[in-house]
C-alpha cells in the first residue's frame, strides 16, 4: 500500500465549456459587405490548482473577424478541464499542465469555434493545430532571458 501513495497519478476528471461569447456588433449592415474578411486568432492558456492534486487547465481562443476597420464577428471560447495530477516532480508537473492538458482540451475548443461560426451564419473558422510543447519551450526561454536580463539590469545603474 505504501507504493500506491507514491505512484504518479494523471486522470481527467471533467472536460467542460467554461465560457462562450459571440458578438456581431455591426450586423446587419456589415453582412451585406462582399469584401474578404481578415481573421485574427489569439490563444491563451491558464492552469490553476483547485484542490490538493486537482488542477483546472483552460485554453481560450479569441477569434476576431473584420472587414476594413469594422468587426464582422468576435468569438471568445474557453474550454477547460479538471485534471487529477499527483506525485510528480515540479518540472514534470509544469510540462503536463502546459503541454499535455492543453493538447487534450484543444480539439474540443476547435470544434466549438467552428460550430459557433456555422451557427452564426458564417463559414467555419478552423483553428490550426498548435504545438503546445513549442509554445511551452518558447515561454520557458523568455522567462530565462528575462531572468538573465533582470540580473544584468540589477547591476547596471539606472
Amino acid at each position: 500500500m505504501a507504493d500506491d501513495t507514491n505512484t504518479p497519478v494523471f486522470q481527467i476528471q471533467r472536460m467542460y465549456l467554461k465560457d462562450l461569447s459571440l458578438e456581431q456588433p455591426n450586423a446587419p449592415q456589415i453582412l451585406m459587405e462582399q469584401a474578404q474578411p481578415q481573421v485574427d486568432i489569439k490563444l491563451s492558456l491558464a492552469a490553476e490548482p483547485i484542490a490538493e492534486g486537482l488542477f483546472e487547465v483552460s485554453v481560450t481562443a479569441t477569434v476576431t473577424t473584420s472587414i476594413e476597420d469594422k468587426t464582422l464577428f468576435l468569438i471568445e471560447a474557453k474550454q477547460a478541464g479538471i485534471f487529477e495530477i499527483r506525485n510528480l516532480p515540479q518540472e514534470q508537473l509544469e510540462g503536463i499542465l502546459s503541454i499535455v492538458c492543453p493538447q487534450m482540451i484543444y480539439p474540443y475548443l476547435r470544434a466549438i469555434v467552428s460550430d459557433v461560426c456555422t451557427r452564426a451564419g458564417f463559414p467555419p473558422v478552423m483553428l490550426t493545430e498548435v504545438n503546445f510543447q513549442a509554445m511551452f519551450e518558447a515561454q520557458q526561454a523568455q522567462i530565462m532571458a528575462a531572468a538573465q536580463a533582470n540580473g544584468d539590469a540589477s547591476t547596471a545603474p539606472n
Side-chain angles (χ1 to χ4, degrees), residues 42-115:
K42 292 184 172 68
L43 285 179
S44 62
L45 307 175
E48 303 280 330
I50 55 174
E52 179 65 35
L54 293 176
F55 299 86
E56 179 192 56
V57 177
S58 62
V59 182
T60 303
T62 304
V63 179
T64 306
T65 306
S66 57
I67 296 176
E68 295 176 15
D69 62 342
K70 292 184 180 176
T71 300
L72 179 59
F73 67 86
L74 171 76
I75 296 173
E76 185 170 87
K78 181 185 286 190
Q79 182 73 26
I82 298 174
F83 298 88
E84 180 179 5
I85 307 170
R86 298 179 191 277
N87 304 321
L88 292 176
Q90 185 64 31
E91 314 81 59
Q92 286 182 348
L93 178 62
E94 289 176 19
I96 287 174
L97 293 174
S98 300
I99 301 168
V100 177
C101 296
Q103 284 175 332
M104 297 174 95
I105 293 168
Y106 190 67
Y108 294 94
L109 181 65
R110 290 181 72 203
I112 289 164
V113 168
S114 176
D115 186 51

Side-chain angles (χ1 to χ4, degrees), residues 23-32 67 69-73:
E23 298 175 28
Q24 295 186 52
N26 295 299
Q29 292 81 6
I30 199 163
L31 298 175
M32 306 311 292
I67 296 176
D69 62 342
K70 292 184 180 176
T71 300
L72 179 59
F73 67 86

